[in-house]
Coordinates of all heavy atoms in Angstrom, one line a residue:
Chain B
D129 N 65.6 96.2 120.0 CA 65.7 95.4 118.8 C 65.2 96.0 117.6 O 65.1 95.5 116.5 CB 65.0 94.1 119.1 CG 65.6 93.4 120.2 OD1 66.9 93.5 120.3 OD2 64.9 92.8 121.0
V130 N 64.9 97.4 117.6 CA 64.2 98.0 116.6 C 65.4 98.5 115.6 O 66.4 99.1 116.1 CB 63.4 99.2 116.9 CG1 62.9 100.1 115.7 CG2 62.3 98.8 117.8
R131 N 65.4 98.3 114.3 CA 66.4 98.8 113.4 C 66.3 100.3 113.4 O 65.3 100.9 113.3 CB 66.2 98.3 112.0 CG 66.8 97.0 111.7 CD 66.6 96.7 110.3 NE 67.1 95.4 110.0 CZ 67.7 95.1 108.8 NH1 67.6 95.9 107.8 NH2 68.2 93.9 108.6
A132 N 67.4 101.0 113.3 CA 67.6 102.3 113.5 C 66.9 103.1 112.3 O 66.5 104.2 112.3 CB 69.1 102.8 113.4
A133 N 66.9 102.3 111.0 CA 66.1 102.8 109.9 C 64.7 103.2 110.2 O 64.1 104.0 109.5 CB 66.1 101.8 108.7
N134 N 64.1 102.4 111.2 CA 62.7 102.7 111.5 C 62.4 103.5 112.6 O 61.3 103.7 113.3 CB 62.1 101.4 111.9 CG 62.2 100.3 110.6 OD1 62.1 100.7 109.6 ND2 62.5 99.1 111.0
L135 N 63.5 104.3 113.1 CA 63.3 105.3 114.3 C 62.9 106.6 113.6 O 63.1 107.0 112.7 CB 64.5 105.5 115.0 CG 65.1 104.1 115.7 CD1 66.5 104.5 116.3 CD2 64.2 103.7 116.7
S136 N 62.3 107.4 114.7 CA 61.9 108.9 114.4 C 63.2 109.6 114.6 O 64.3 109.2 115.0 CB 60.8 109.2 115.4 OG 61.5 109.5 116.8
G137 N 63.2 110.9 114.2 CA 64.3 111.8 114.3 C 64.9 111.8 115.7 O 66.1 111.8 115.8
G138 N 64.1 112.2 116.6 CA 64.4 112.2 118.0 C 65.0 110.9 118.5 O 66.1 111.0 119.3
Q139 N 64.4 109.8 118.1 CA 65.0 108.5 118.7 C 66.4 108.3 118.1 O 67.3 107.8 118.6 CB 64.1 107.3 118.2 CG 62.8 107.4 119.1 CD 61.7 106.6 118.4 OE1 61.7 106.1 117.2 NE2 60.6 106.1 119.3
K140 N 66.6 108.5 116.7 CA 67.9 108.4 116.0 C 68.9 109.3 116.7 O 69.9 108.8 117.1 CB 67.7 108.9 114.6 CG 67.2 107.8 113.7 CD 67.3 108.4 112.3 CE 66.5 107.5 111.3 NZ 66.1 108.0 110.1
Q141 N 68.5 110.5 117.1 CA 69.4 111.5 117.8 C 69.9 110.9 119.2 O 71.0 111.0 119.5 CB 68.8 112.9 117.8 CG 69.7 114.0 118.2 CD 70.6 114.3 117.0 OE1 71.9 113.9 117.2 NE2 70.2 114.7 115.8
R142 N 68.8 110.4 119.9 CA 69.2 109.8 121.2 C 70.0 108.7 121.0 O 71.0 108.3 121.9 CB 67.9 109.5 121.9 CG 67.4 110.9 122.6 CD 66.1 110.6 123.4 NE 65.0 110.5 122.6 CZ 63.9 109.7 122.7 NH1 64.0 108.8 123.7 NH2 63.0 109.6 122.0
T143 N 69.8 107.8 120.1 CA 70.7 106.6 119.8 C 72.0 107.0 119.5 O 73.0 106.4 120.0 CB 70.0 105.7 118.6 OG1 68.7 105.4 118.9 CG2 70.9 104.5 118.4
A144 N 72.2 108.1 118.7 CA 73.5 108.4 118.3 C 74.3 109.0 119.4 O 75.5 108.9 119.7 CB 73.4 109.5 117.2
L145 N 73.6 109.8 120.3 CA 74.1 110.4 121.5 C 74.5 109.2 122.5 O 75.7 109.4 123.1 CB 73.1 111.3 122.1 CG 73.6 112.1 123.4 CD1 74.8 113.0 122.9 CD2 72.4 113.1 123.7
A146 N 73.8 108.2 122.7 CA 74.1 107.2 123.6 C 75.3 106.4 123.0 O 76.2 106.0 123.8 CB 72.8 106.1 123.6
R147 N 75.3 106.2 121.8 CA 76.5 105.5 121.1 C 77.7 106.3 121.3 O 78.7 105.7 121.5 CB 76.2 105.3 119.5 CG 77.1 104.6 118.8 CD 76.7 104.5 117.4 NE 76.5 105.8 116.7 CZ 76.0 106.0 115.5 NH1 75.7 105.0 114.8 NH2 75.9 107.3 115.0
A148 N 77.6 107.6 121.2 CA 78.7 108.5 121.2 C 79.4 108.5 122.7 O 80.5 108.4 123.0 CB 78.4 109.9 120.9
I149 N 78.5 108.3 123.7 CA 79.0 108.5 125.1 C 79.4 107.1 125.6 O 79.9 107.0 126.8 CB 78.1 109.2 126.0 CG1 76.8 108.6 126.1 CG2 78.0 110.7 125.5 CD1 75.8 109.1 127.2
A150 N 78.9 106.1 125.0 CA 79.1 104.7 125.4 C 80.7 104.4 125.6 O 81.0 103.7 126.4 CB 78.5 103.7 124.4
I151 N 81.4 105.0 124.7 CA 82.8 104.8 124.6 C 83.5 105.7 125.8 O 84.7 105.7 125.9 CB 83.5 105.1 123.3 CG1 83.3 106.5 122.7 CG2 82.9 104.2 122.2 CD1 84.1 106.9 121.6
R152 N 82.8 106.3 126.5 CA 83.3 107.2 127.6 C 84.3 108.2 127.0 O 85.5 108.1 127.3 CB 83.9 106.4 128.7 CG 82.9 105.5 129.3 CD 83.1 105.0 130.7 NE 82.0 104.6 131.3 CZ 81.9 103.4 132.0 NH1 83.1 102.8 132.2 NH2 80.9 102.7 132.3
P153 N 83.9 109.0 126.1 CA 84.7 109.9 125.4 C 85.3 111.0 126.3 O 84.8 111.3 127.5 CB 83.9 110.7 124.4 CG 82.5 110.6 124.9 CD 82.4 109.3 125.8
A154 N 86.4 111.7 125.9 CA 87.0 112.8 126.6 C 86.4 114.1 126.2 O 86.6 115.1 126.8 CB 88.5 112.8 126.6
L155 N 85.7 114.1 125.2 CA 85.0 115.4 124.5 C 83.8 114.9 123.8 O 83.8 113.9 123.2 CB 86.2 116.0 123.6 CG 85.6 116.9 122.6 CD1 85.2 118.3 123.5 CD2 86.7 117.3 121.5
L156 N 82.7 115.7 123.9 CA 81.6 115.3 123.1 C 81.4 116.5 122.1 O 81.4 117.6 122.6 CB 80.3 115.3 124.1 CG 79.0 114.9 123.4 CD1 78.9 113.6 122.7 CD2 77.9 115.1 124.6
M157 N 81.0 116.1 120.9 CA 80.9 117.2 119.8 C 79.6 116.8 119.1 O 79.3 115.6 118.7 CB 82.0 117.3 118.9 CG 83.3 117.5 119.5 SD 84.6 118.1 118.3 CE 84.7 116.6 117.1
M158 N 78.6 117.8 118.8 CA 77.4 117.5 118.2 C 77.1 118.7 117.1 O 77.2 119.8 117.4 CB 76.1 117.5 119.2 CG 76.3 116.6 120.3 SD 75.1 116.9 121.6 CE 73.8 116.0 120.9
D159 N 77.0 118.1 116.0 CA 76.8 119.0 114.8 C 75.4 119.1 114.3 O 74.7 118.3 114.0 CB 77.5 118.4 113.5 CG 77.8 119.5 112.4 OD1 77.2 120.7 112.6 OD2 78.4 119.3 111.5
E160 N 74.7 120.4 114.6 CA 73.4 120.6 114.4 C 72.4 119.6 115.0 O 71.7 119.1 114.1 CB 73.2 120.9 112.9 CG 73.9 122.1 112.3 CD 73.2 123.4 112.5 OE1 72.4 123.4 113.2 OE2 73.8 124.4 112.0
P161 N 72.6 119.2 116.2 CA 71.8 118.1 116.6 C 70.3 118.4 116.7 O 69.5 117.4 116.8 CB 72.2 118.0 118.1 CG 72.8 119.2 118.6 CD 73.3 119.9 117.3
F162 N 69.9 119.6 116.6 CA 68.4 119.9 116.7 C 67.8 120.3 115.2 O 66.5 120.6 115.3 CB 68.1 121.1 117.7 CG 69.0 121.1 118.9 CD1 70.0 121.9 119.2 CD2 68.9 120.0 119.7 CE1 70.7 122.0 120.2 CE2 69.8 120.0 120.9 CZ 70.6 121.0 121.1
S163 N 68.5 120.2 114.4 CA 68.0 121.0 113.1 C 66.8 120.1 112.5 O 66.0 120.7 111.8 CB 69.1 121.0 112.1 OG 69.7 119.8 111.7
S164 N 66.8 118.8 112.7 CA 65.7 118.1 112.2 C 64.7 117.5 113.2 O 63.9 116.6 112.9 CB 66.3 116.9 111.3 OG 67.0 116.1 112.1
L165 N 64.7 118.0 114.4 CA 63.9 117.6 115.4 C 62.8 118.5 115.7 O 62.7 119.6 115.5 CB 64.7 117.5 116.7 CG 65.9 116.6 116.8 CD1 66.4 116.5 118.1 CD2 65.5 115.2 116.2
D166 N 61.6 117.9 116.1 CA 60.4 118.7 116.6 C 60.8 119.3 118.0 O 61.7 119.0 118.6 CB 59.1 117.9 116.5 CG 59.3 116.7 117.4 OD1 59.9 116.8 118.6 OD2 58.6 115.7 117.1
V167 N 59.9 120.2 118.4 CA 60.1 121.0 119.7 C 60.4 120.1 120.8 O 61.3 120.2 121.6 CB 58.9 122.0 120.0 CG1 59.2 122.7 121.2 CG2 58.8 122.8 118.8
E168 N 59.5 119.0 121.0 CA 59.5 118.2 122.1 C 60.8 117.5 122.2 O 61.6 117.3 123.2 CB 58.4 117.2 122.1 CG 58.0 116.6 123.3 CD 56.7 115.7 123.2 OE1 55.9 116.0 122.4 OE2 56.7 114.6 124.0
S169 N 61.2 116.9 121.0 CA 62.4 116.0 120.9 C 63.6 117.1 121.3 O 64.6 116.6 121.8 CB 62.6 115.5 119.6 OG 61.6 114.7 119.2
T170 N 63.7 118.3 120.6 CA 64.8 119.2 120.9 C 65.0 119.4 122.4 O 66.1 119.4 122.9 CB 64.3 120.5 120.3 OG1 64.2 120.3 118.8 CG2 65.5 121.5 120.4
I171 N 63.9 119.7 123.1 CA 64.0 119.8 124.6 C 64.6 118.6 125.3 O 65.5 118.6 126.1 CB 62.6 120.3 125.3 CG1 62.0 121.5 124.7 CG2 62.7 120.2 126.7 CD1 60.6 121.8 124.9
G172 N 64.1 117.5 124.8 CA 64.6 116.1 125.4 C 66.1 116.1 125.1 O 66.8 115.8 126.2
V173 N 66.6 116.2 123.9 CA 68.0 116.0 123.6 C 68.8 117.1 124.4 O 69.9 116.8 125.0 CB 68.2 116.0 122.1 CG1 69.7 116.0 121.8 CG2 67.5 115.0 121.4
K174 N 68.3 118.3 124.6 CA 69.0 119.4 125.2 C 69.3 118.9 126.7 O 70.4 119.1 127.2 CB 68.2 120.7 125.1 CG 68.6 121.5 123.9 CD 67.8 122.8 123.8 CE 67.9 123.3 122.5 NZ 66.8 124.3 122.2
E175 N 68.2 118.5 127.3 CA 68.2 118.2 128.6 C 69.3 116.9 128.9 O 70.0 117.0 129.8 CB 66.8 117.8 129.1 CG 65.9 118.9 129.5 CD 64.6 118.5 129.9 OE1 64.3 117.3 129.8 OE2 63.7 119.4 130.2
L176 N 69.2 115.9 128.0 CA 70.0 114.8 128.2 C 71.5 115.3 127.9 O 72.4 114.8 128.6 CB 69.8 113.8 127.1 CG 68.4 112.9 127.3 CD1 68.0 112.2 126.1 CD2 68.6 112.1 128.5
T177 N 71.8 116.2 126.9 CA 73.0 116.6 126.7 C 73.7 117.3 128.0 O 74.7 117.0 128.4 CB 73.2 117.7 125.5 OG1 72.5 117.0 124.4 CG2 74.6 118.0 125.0
R178 N 72.8 118.1 128.5 CA 73.2 118.9 129.7 C 73.6 117.8 130.9 O 74.6 118.0 131.6 CB 72.2 119.9 130.1 CG 72.4 120.5 131.7 CD 73.6 121.3 131.6 NE 73.7 122.4 130.8 CZ 74.9 123.0 130.6 NH1 76.0 122.8 131.1 NH2 74.8 124.3 129.8
T179 N 72.7 116.8 131.1 CA 73.0 115.9 132.1 C 74.3 115.2 131.8 O 75.0 114.9 132.9 CB 71.7 114.8 132.1 OG1 70.5 115.6 132.1 CG2 71.6 114.0 133.3
I180 N 74.4 114.6 130.6 CA 75.7 114.0 130.4 C 76.9 114.7 130.6 O 77.8 114.2 131.3 CB 75.7 113.5 128.8 CG1 74.6 112.5 128.5 CG2 77.0 113.0 128.4 CD1 74.2 112.4 127.1
V181 N 76.9 115.9 130.1 CA 78.2 116.8 130.3 C 78.4 117.1 131.8 O 79.5 117.0 132.2 CB 78.0 118.1 129.6 CG1 79.2 119.0 129.7 CG2 77.9 117.8 128.0
T182 N 77.3 117.3 132.6 CA 77.6 117.5 134.0 C 78.1 116.4 134.8 O 79.0 116.4 135.5 CB 76.3 118.0 134.6 OG1 75.7 119.1 133.8 CG2 76.4 118.5 136.1
K183 N 77.4 115.2 134.3 CA 77.7 113.9 135.1 C 79.1 113.5 134.7 O 79.9 113.0 135.5 CB 76.8 112.9 134.6 CG 76.5 111.8 135.7 CD 75.2 111.1 135.2 CE 75.3 109.6 135.6 NZ 74.2 108.7 135.1

Side-chain angles (χ1 to χ4, degrees):
Chain B
D129 299 323
V130 179
R131 275 189 178 205
N134 302 324
L135 297 176
S136 72
Q139 290 164 341
K140 277 183 192 163
Q141 197 64 251
R142 279 181 279 142
T143 303
L145 188 55
R147 181 179 63 188
I149 61 168
I151 59 167
R152 301 206 171 133
L155 166 70
L156 179 64
M157 303 198 297
M158 302 169 84
D159 195 353
E160 298 278 7
F162 319 117
S163 62
S164 59
L165 300 187
D166 57 35
V167 179
E168 202 178 326
S169 304
T170 302
I171 295 169
V173 172
K174 276 177 189 163
E175 283 172 357
L176 284 169
T177 308
R178 171 57 69 191
T179 312
I180 290 162
V181 172
T182 309
K183 206 165 152 188

